[in-house]
Amino acid sequence: MLFVIALALTTYEIFSVNELRDSIQRANTSTLSLLLAEHATYRLGGSPLVIDGRLRVQISGREGTVVDAAGLSRAFIVAGGGSLELRSLSVIRGVANASDTDGGGGCVVVRPDSALRATDVLFSECAAVTNQERGWMAAAGHTMARNALADFNIRGGADGGGTDAQGGAIASHGGTIWLEGCTLRNASALDGGAIFVWGGSLLIEHSRFLDSSAAREAGCIAILEGAAADVRNATLRGCSAGGDGGGIFAADGAQMVLADSFVEECTAEGSGGALALDGAFVEVHRSELRACMALESGGGVWAFSGMVSASDLRLQGCGAEEDGGGMYLLHASARLLRTNIEGCAAGRSGDGDGDGGGLAVHGGTLTASEVRVVRCSSVRDGGGMHIGSGALVVLTASLVQECQVYLVRGRGSAVFVDRAGALELANSSILRCHSRLYGTAYVEGNLTLSHGSELADCDGHDMGLSGSSEDSRRGGVLWIRHGGVARLLRSRVADNRVYDLSAPKTFFAVASVDAGARLEVFHSLFENNSITSVTDDGAAAVYVHSGGELLAVGMDVELACGATRNPAIDMDGGREEGADAPPSLSPEAAAFADYHGVIGQISLPATQPAPPAVRLFALRAWVTPACEVRRSAAQVEALVLRGQRPARCDADPAVCAPLAICSDEAVVGGGGLTAPSCSCEPPNVPASGAPDRGLAAVLPEFGCLTPRFASDVTVLDRAGTGVPHIVMELTKTSENERATRSLLLHVGGTQEATLRWSVDPASVPSYLRVAPLTGTLGATDRHANFLNVSADSAGMWEELEPLLTTLNVTVDVGGRVRDTVLLPIYTIIATTASAATSMWGLPQPDGRCVPREAEGGPLVVAVGETVATEFTSCDFEAIEVAHPVPSLRTERSTAYSPRRFRVVMVDGDAGDAHDVPFEYEERGIYAAGVAPSRTGDFTLHLYLDDDPCGCEPDSLQKGRSPDALSTTPCATLAVRAVCPEGLVGTADRGCGCPVGFEARGATCVPHLTLLLILCAACSVGLLLLLGLCVCARRSVHHRRLALAAAARERRAQLRRVRAAINDASSLRFPFCVMPFRSFAAFGRLVPFEEARSESALVFCDTWDNAASFAASHPLVFLSHQWLSYASPTRTTPTLSTWCARWRRSPPSGASRRTSATSGSTCTRSRRATRRPRRWRSARSRSSPQPRPTLWRARPRRSTSTRASSAAATHT
């Protein structure tokens, strides 16, 4: 939807209708914005405002602004691609009549490719009428037009050929309409009381439609011919239609979305009180339809054909005088989610019609989830739901509750399923729906309750009419008749009550099965159901009449505490006297069934029904544990079953389906009554298609099946038949060969399931191609071509044994059975030798035949010796052949294989040639014995069937690098024959002994005389050599001694030099002196230790210190000798002698008062007991001090300062 209004343009304020009209006309093709006056009324005077020619007009009003057409004409016409936007004003009393072209649209008509947008606009008292009614509308308003328009047809105008009168307020023919916040009230038309849309699009938001009407269809909104409508947050109230669709009518492929809207109190004299859909596609979300009525069908919704989808929809208090009080579907497809149908009703009191109080479906399909049908009612059939012929309805997680029918003979207070109709309830409930005579659930078609569904807390009454007719003598809560089938699958029937208060020979039960009908109970529970009867006729759970059928598998029966006479399960002994066959269809009923799409021929039961067929499997029964009265097993068995007893496993024919396992199990714990139990034991599986996997073992049409498995794999040969082994045979001659095998997979077992297979890629070798690697086999296919295996001899090497490969094929059946088939494939490679590639030498480790150039010259062979020289047989791809020639492995290789090799040795000098013998070793390798008879150069030639070998064709030379090209045109080998060791060649190319040797046998030995002379010469030479060695050894020894002596002399000289240097710069002995004063003070000659302890000694540690001390102190050397520790020798002068000599002749420069240590760096020894007076002691740290001996000093005349004159000596 596109609305282009230039809001940024200048807005012109308009005060009169003439000014308004002139502004629009003058605008021509421009864009115009107009503002109308407040509280002003613009009366058009019988001429509408026309927006045409691509004109875009915005008309805005204010409070109280009104555009009044006064019932004389339309208000606006939008055509030619024009666009009109209305804001905040009222448009009233517009009328479209026969004088207007493109009829309809009392207030606004929108023609093709044009657009209307209205925001906060009131459209009131607009109408679309015929020409003769125009004056009426001008005088009396819209209410007088309806009766005059009743004969028109919505799709073709008036029957008499008049102009369409559609869309009381707005009509669109291929245009676009957008309404936001608008109100449309008191509008009327032939069709579409408020809005009529033919093609194009419609958008409605937050708008209201009040009290509009149509003489035919669509009291408020009509959507036709593929139009697209989106209606959101809208309210439709008080709309009415003389035909279908009191609120909305959509048809002819129209598409509509109705969301968050409310439709209330709308009525239709036809069908669809709120919505009528005819071939339309409609979605309804989060909306409510309330108190809507239809005089025909579908009080809330009526849908024919098309598709309906609804979620969060509520239908409340709707009604129809015929069928479908809430919703009626006729050959339509519908989907409902979270839909509530409450308090809806079908039919009129006092009239016999009215089916499906909440929901009626005839033909088509309905899929619904979370649907609630509550407190709905009908006059005749299906108080909650009526499922007609040809309809399929599937409800999940849904509820039918407290529904009823008003007629005494009304059928199915909750559910009525007509012939050829089907209703499936999954995880759903039918609760508290009470019937007067014909049951809560009345089934003539197919009814299925599954996956935890329940039928509970319902009552069935006979109304005291027993004996008046056959129908009144039977019935119950669930009544299955006239060929109907009811199936309970894992469901629950509980707390239901049946009241049989009539005379004897009445047979009521919670579930009643009539002649030709069938009840199937699979793994379901009948719990606490009861019957109140004046006799013991009837049953608390199930009664099977003559010709009826009961199949119960895994049926659990919990008996009520009050059960005393009527058993849980009962049946007729045969046809009852006076029982009538079910009535045949009347012509009207047959026509109705045909109209509603009954599929197939309606089959009526035979006039003489057979005895009831009752088959009970795995039946279990017990009394409610809460009962105070305890009963024995025999008493309980009497309350479970009356009539036929369950068959036993040993009965003939078998009671179970084929391949099923049967076992007899007790019905009541500790009792003797048994019922068979059937099961499909592994490896067998239940047949597919059964209502439940556990039922296949019981139903003979299904039974147990052996699982599918891969029984065999064969090869489809050329004749089209299968062979049991898979062999790939390839022959390499002068070209490669490709072989392909189509493999057939044969499947065993009776199971019908898709078989999936896959080949493990890791099991496929490089020389095989397998395709495809995965695939499926149809459920019914017994064999199929499932994969192709191909092999190519290109690049393959020959093996003596066939190559064996095992393909791992995994077979999967239905995701449950997995099997691995090991598929062995034998591949035979037969190759023939080729002269072009056969060569001298051995192949490479990978089997490739690559000629290698000769290294180090020709092959050297001694004359008389035999050297084995290898050559290799290769195929045309230069790959070694694994067998000797000829190749006899296959027929083709035998036909194409060369026959023999030939080795020829040619004398290079003489030019003659001869054959060389050879023998076969292994894997195509031969050894030729080369034994030349004379010396010289020879050439070995290799031939294959007279063809020279190694003569490479150009095809093998192509693509090689220049360095890799063969330099020899053919396979030749150079041989050089030489003489054996010790022999020399002769003139005739033979071998002999050299000069001086003679032949002895096969060796050459020297002559005897020459041998003796040679020995003597060798002896003399050895002696001379020995003498030379001795002389050389002595010469070497003397030279070594001389060198050692010279070295020692050099070391001694070096030591003397070092000692002299040391003596000149260091003291070899301690330098110790004593002042003469101290010497004289002792009064005697004292030992060194005593003088040291008295601190009378002065020590100089270094040469420099001693020299410095001697330079400043005169020294006197007294030489004396001590021969004992106590005193000196007798010859030593006494102390007084020394002192006298000192005084007589003191040394030159000596002074008695001069300090001996002034200016010196020497130290004086310290006394241990007292502090020295003048000198500080010092002692050499370099060596220990031995005991000194004082020598008597001779008087000197000079005062030499040499250190040696003052040095102390040690003894």
Side-chain angles (χ1 to χ4, degrees):
M1 301 179 184
L2 180 62
F3 297 90
V4 181
I5 300 296
L7 300 179
L9 295 179
T10 304
T11 301
Y12 299 95
E13 190 169 1
I14 304 300
F15 296 96
S16 67
V17 67
N18 292 331
E19 187 179 357
L20 174 61
R21 194 181 306 275
D22 292 341
S23 298
I24 294 175
Q25 291 176 353
R26 286 196 307 269
N28 199 4
T29 59
S30 61
T31 301
L32 184 62
S33 177
L34 305 176
L35 177 61
L36 304 186
E38 185 177 3
H39 297 292
T41 300
Y42 296 80
R43 293 180 174 82
L44 301 181
S47 178
L49 299 175
V50 179
I51 291 85
D52 198 357
R54 302 294 178 181
L55 179 62
R56 296 174 176 84
V57 178
Q58 179 186 20
I59 301 178
S60 302
R62 305 179 192 178
E63 184 178 356
T65 301
V66 177
V67 177
D68 186 4
L72 301 176
S73 67
R74 294 187 179 98
F76 296 96
I77 297 176
V78 186
S83 177
L84 172 63
E85 181 175 0
L86 302 177
R87 289 178 175 271
S88 305
L89 53 83
S90 298
V91 181
I92 64 173
R93 296 197 298 173
V95 175
N97 52 51
S99 62
D100 299 318
T101 59
D102 294 334
C107 284
V108 183
V109 62
V110 181
R111 291 172 181 168
D113 300 325
S114 302
L116 167 67
R117 178 175 182 179
T119 304
D120 299 328
V121 176
L122 169 64
F123 296 92
S124 179
E125 299 182 12
C126 300
V129 299
T130 60
N131 191 35
Q132 60 266 31
E133 297 300 325
R134 178 181 178 185
W136 299 356
M137 293 301 298
H142 76 286
T143 58
M144 301 178 62
R146 180 170 176 176
N147 294 333
L149 300 177
D151 294 332
F152 279 77
N153 182 281
I154 190 171
R155 295 177 177 85
D159 295 338
T163 305
D164 291 346
Q166 297 157 339
I170 301 172
S172 172
H173 299 271
T176 300
I177 300 176
W178 184 359
L179 304 182
E180 183 177 4
C182 296
T183 300
L184 292 83
R185 68 185 182 190
N186 297 330
S188 61
L190 184 63
D191 299 305
I195 296 178
F196 180 89
V197 179
W198 183 281
S201 59
L202 170 66
L203 174 60
I204 299 175
E205 294 180 324
H206 302 282
S207 298
R208 298 185 303 162
F209 296 80
L210 307 176
D211 302 323
S212 297
S213 62
R216 293 185 311 203
E217 275 74 34
C220 281
I221 303 173
I223 307 168
L224 302 174
E225 289 299 325
D230 193 348
V231 181
R232 299 181 181 274
N233 297 290
T235 299
L236 288 77
R237 181 181 295 113
C239 298
S240 61
D244 300 333
I248 300 175
F249 180 85
D252 303 328
Q255 302 179 28
M256 182 182 73
V257 175
L258 178 65
D260 304 300
S261 298
F262 186 80
V263 183
E264 182 180 17
E265 297 177 2
C266 295
T267 60
E269 295 184 9
S271 298
L275 305 178
L277 314 174
D278 186 355
F281 301 89
V282 177
E283 296 182 15
V284 182
H285 305 292
R286 302 176 301 279
S287 298
E288 182 174 351
L289 312 180
R290 179 184 297 176
C292 295
M293 302 296 296
L295 299 184
E296 293 181 1
S297 300
V301 178
W302 178 89
F304 174 76
S305 185
M307 180 179 293
V308 180
S309 177
S311 63
D312 300 296
L313 172 63
R314 182 179 184 184
L315 291 87
Q316 183 177 13
C318 296
E321 294 191 1
E322 293 183 2
D323 299 336
M327 182 179 296
Y328 183 91
L329 304 176
L330 178 60
H331 299 295
S333 177
R335 302 182 65 180
L336 304 180
L337 176 63
R338 296 185 299 275
T339 297
N340 292 338
I341 304 175
E342 303 176 10
C344 296
R348 292 179 296 182
S349 59
D351 194 346
D353 295 333
D355 300 332
L359 176 66
V361 183
H362 292 274
T365 60
L366 168 62
T367 303
S369 178
E370 300 180 47
V371 172
R372 298 175 70 253
V373 181
V374 180
R375 294 185 298 278
C376 295
S377 61
S378 68
V379 172
R380 187 173 62 179
D381 298 334
M385 293 187 293
H386 183 280
I387 311 303
S389 297
L392 173 61
V393 179
V394 179
L395 301 182
T396 304
S398 298
L399 172 67
V400 181
Q401 179 176 318
E402 298 177 8
C403 296
Q404 61 180 337
V405 293
Y406 289 110
L407 289 181
V408 172
R409 296 184 182 274
R411 297 173 296 182
S413 60
V415 173
F416 175 88
V417 184
D418 205 350
R419 302 183 188 188
L423 172 62
E424 297 182 10
L425 299 175
N427 191 26
S428 301
S429 301
I430 300 176
L431 303 177
R432 296 189 292 278
C433 296
H434 307 309
S435 62
R436 298 190 180 185
L437 183 60
Y438 280 83
T440 297
Y442 185 90
V443 181
E444 292 184 356
N446 289 274
L447 172 66
T448 300
L449 277 73
S450 64
H451 298 88
S453 296
E454 62 177 346
L455 174 61
D457 200 13
C458 298
D459 293 347
H461 297 267
D462 65 353
M463 294 299 294
L465 299 176
S466 298
S468 60
S469 67
E470 175 65 20
D471 289 348
S472 63
R473 298 172 63 187
R474 61 189 69 187
V477 174
L478 172 61
W479 196 356
I480 312 163
R481 306 188 67 192
H482 299 164
V485 177
R487 179 178 292 117
L488 306 180
L489 177 59
R490 302 188 187 278
S491 298
R492 176 173 174 264
V493 180
D495 302 321
N496 297 292
R497 299 161 294 276
V498 177
Y499 299 94
D500 182 9
L501 305 178
S502 303
K505 299 299 181 183
T506 56
F507 307 95
F508 279 78
V510 170
S512 180
V513 185
D514 272 14
R518 177 185 177 96
L519 173 62
E520 299 175 354
V521 181
F522 302 139
H523 305 289
S524 297
L525 171 64
F526 280 73
E527 178 184 6
N528 197 31
N529 297 291
S530 62
I531 180 172
T532 301
S533 176
V534 297
T535 66
D536 59 356
D537 296 329
V542 181
Y543 193 96
V544 185
H545 297 274
S546 297
E549 184 177 353
L550 169 64
L551 172 61
V553 181
M555 178 179 178
D556 294 338
V557 179
E558 181 178 320
L559 302 175
C561 293
T564 56
R565 295 183 304 174
N566 301 88
I569 303 174
D570 199 357
M571 63 203 74
D572 285 346
R575 175 174 171 79
E576 299 180 23
E577 182 179 357
D580 298 328
S584 60
L585 291 178
S586 64
E588 295 79 5
F592 178 81
D594 180 68
Y595 175 75
H596 288 289
V598 174
I599 301 175
Q601 184 66 29
I602 298 177
S603 59
L604 298 178
T607 57
Q608 296 293 332
V614 176
R615 291 190 295 164
L616 303 175
F617 298 87
L619 175 66
R620 295 181 300 175
W622 65 90
V623 179
T624 302
C627 294
E628 298 179 357
V629 179
R630 302 299 178 184
R631 295 182 175 89
S632 64
Q635 291 174 333
V636 176
E637 288 178 353
L639 294 175
V640 173
L641 183 64
R642 180 169 60 190
Q644 299 180 12
R645 290 294 186 262
R648 297 183 60 84
C649 289
D650 55 2
D652 188 19
V655 296
C656 294
L659 300 181
I661 304 300
C662 181
S663 61
D664 292 316
E665 298 181 358
V667 175
V668 179
L673 180 64
T674 62
S677 177
C678 305
S679 62
C680 296
E681 298 295 334
N684 296 334
V685 296
S688 59
D692 187 81
R693 288 177 56 85
L695 304 179
V698 175
L699 304 177
E701 60 269 29
F702 299 103
C704 301
L705 303 178
T706 56
R708 300 193 84 186
F709 64 96
S711 61
D712 193 12
V713 177
T714 60
V715 180
L716 187 65
D717 62 5
R718 296 179 180 178
T721 60
V723 294
H725 53 275
I726 305 173
V727 178
M728 312 287 289
E729 187 176 283
L730 302 173
T731 301
K732 294 175 65 175
T733 56
S734 60
E735 60 183 12
N736 285 306
E737 184 181 15
R738 183 180 181 88
T740 302
R741 300 291 184 268
S742 295
L743 304 187
L744 296 176
L745 177 64
H746 299 267
V747 179
T750 59
Q751 180 186 12
E752 293 184 356
T754 301
L755 184 144
R756 294 177 174 83
W757 56 267
S758 61
V759 179
D760 184 6
S763 67
V764 182
S766 59
Y767 61 85
L768 288 182
R769 298 292 182 268
V770 178
L773 292 178
T774 60
T776 59
L777 210 63
T780 58
D781 295 337
R782 292 297 146 190
H783 60 82
N785 181 0
F786 77 116
L787 58 84
N788 296 319
V789 179
S790 61
D792 197 330
S793 63
M796 293 191 63
W797 57 91
E798 185 181 37
E799 296 290 347
L800 296 179
E801 297 296 331
L803 299 176
L804 174 60
T805 297
T806 302
L807 299 182
N808 295 334
V809 183
T810 302
V811 179
D812 185 350
V813 181
R816 295 184 296 273
V817 179
R818 294 184 63 87
D819 189 15
T820 300
V821 178
L822 300 180
L823 188 60
I825 299 177
Y826 295 90
T827 304
I828 298 175
I829 306 295
T831 61
T832 60
S834 173
T837 57
S838 297
M839 66 175 189
W840 289 102
L842 300 177
Q844 292 185 345
D846 61 354
R848 297 286 177 180
C849 296
V850 179
R852 290 184 288 274
E853 301 295 338
E855 296 180 1
L859 175 65
V860 179
V861 182
V863 175
E865 297 180 358
T866 300
V867 176
T869 303
E870 292 90 356
F871 64 89
T872 304
S873 173
C874 306
D875 63 17
F876 83 100
E877 289 186 317
I879 301 176
E880 64 175 346
V881 177
H883 64 276
V885 294
S887 176
L888 305 177
R889 304 191 68 187
T890 63
E891 294 181 1
R892 194 163 180 265
S893 67
T894 302
Y896 287 93
S897 175
R899 296 304 169 184
R900 68 186 183 90
F901 277 102
R902 182 187 177 199
V903 181
V904 178
M905 187 167 67
V906 179
D907 191 336
D909 296 330
D912 56 348
H914 67 277
D915 289 349
V916 177
F918 60 89
E919 62 181 9
Y920 180 76
E921 292 184 345
E922 62 176 356
R923 295 195 62 83
I925 300 174
Y926 297 80
V930 180
S933 60
R934 55 182 179 267
T935 61
D937 293 329
F938 299 85
T939 303
L940 289 177
H941 294 266
L942 183 63
Y943 294 90
L944 182 62
D945 281 353
D946 299 331
D947 293 330
C949 294
C951 298
E952 285 188 314
D954 294 339
S955 61
L956 294 182
Q957 293 280 5
K958 292 180 179 180
R960 292 187 180 179
S961 63
D963 297 337
L965 292 177
S966 177
T967 59
T968 58
C970 296
T972 60
L973 182 64
V975 178
R976 177 168 295 172
V978 299
C979 292
E981 185 178 358
L983 299 181
V984 295
T986 62
D988 58 354
R989 298 175 61 187
C991 295
C993 295
V995 178
F997 288 80
E998 60 182 353
R1000 289 186 181 180
T1003 61
C1004 294
V1005 296
H1007 292 286
L1008 181 61
T1009 303
L1010 295 176
L1011 182 62
L1012 294 176
I1013 296 173
L1014 180 62
C1015 290
C1018 290
S1019 299
V1020 172
L1022 290 175
L1023 292 176
L1024 293 175
L1025 181 63
L1026 180 62
L1028 291 175
C1029 290
V1030 171
C1031 294
R1033 186 174 183 280
R1034 289 181 177 178
S1035 176
V1036 171
H1037 178 69
H1038 288 301
R1039 179 174 175 78
R1040 288 178 179 175
L1041 292 177
L1043 293 176
R1048 286 194 299 272
E1049 179 65 22
R1050 286 194 300 271
R1051 287 195 296 272
Q1053 292 176 355
L1054 182 61
R1055 283 196 299 272
R1056 287 194 296 271
V1057 171
R1058 289 177 178 174
I1061 295 173
N1062 185 57
D1063 291 343
S1065 61
S1066 63
L1067 295 177
R1068 297 180 62 185
F1069 302 100
F1071 181 85
C1072 179
V1073 296
M1074 178 187 302
F1076 185 81
R1077 185 184 301 107
S1078 299
F1079 178 75
F1082 281 113
R1084 60 184 177 89
L1085 293 177
V1086 295
F1088 172 81
E1089 288 81 5
E1090 183 178 352
R1092 183 184 58 185
S1093 62
E1094 292 297 329
S1095 301
L1097 299 179
V1098 176
F1099 295 92
C1100 292
D1101 295 327
T1102 64
W1103 176 266
D1104 292 336
N1105 294 341
S1108 177
F1109 185 86
S1112 58
H1113 300 84
L1115 299 178
V1116 176
F1117 182 78
L1118 300 181
S1119 177
H1120 62 285
Q1121 184 178 9
W1122 289 66
L1123 297 180
S1124 66
Y1125 287 99
S1127 61
T1129 60
R1130 293 180 178 179
T1131 59
T1132 302
T1134 61
L1135 178 62
S1136 58
T1137 302
W1138 293 110
C1139 292
R1141 291 179 180 179
W1142 170 264
R1143 292 185 180 96
R1144 288 192 304 263
S1145 58
S1148 177
S1151 176
R1152 293 184 179 94
R1153 299 182 179 273
T1154 303
S1155 175
T1157 60
S1158 61
S1160 174
T1161 59
C1162 298
T1163 58
R1164 185 175 182 178
S1165 64
R1166 297 176 181 272
R1167 297 186 60 178
T1169 57
R1170 59 188 179 91
R1171 192 176 184 89
R1173 292 178 299 172
R1174 296 183 62 183
W1175 297 345
R1176 288 181 294 178
S1177 63
R1179 189 173 183 177
S1180 174
R1181 299 178 182 178
S1182 61
S1183 60
Q1185 299 295 328
R1187 180 184 301 268
T1189 301
L1190 299 178
W1191 297 91
R1192 182 178 298 175
R1194 294 180 180 179
R1196 294 182 180 182
R1197 295 181 180 180
S1198 62
T1199 58
S1200 176
T1201 60
R1202 291 183 53 88
S1204 58
S1205 63
T1209 62
H1210 294 266
T1211 59

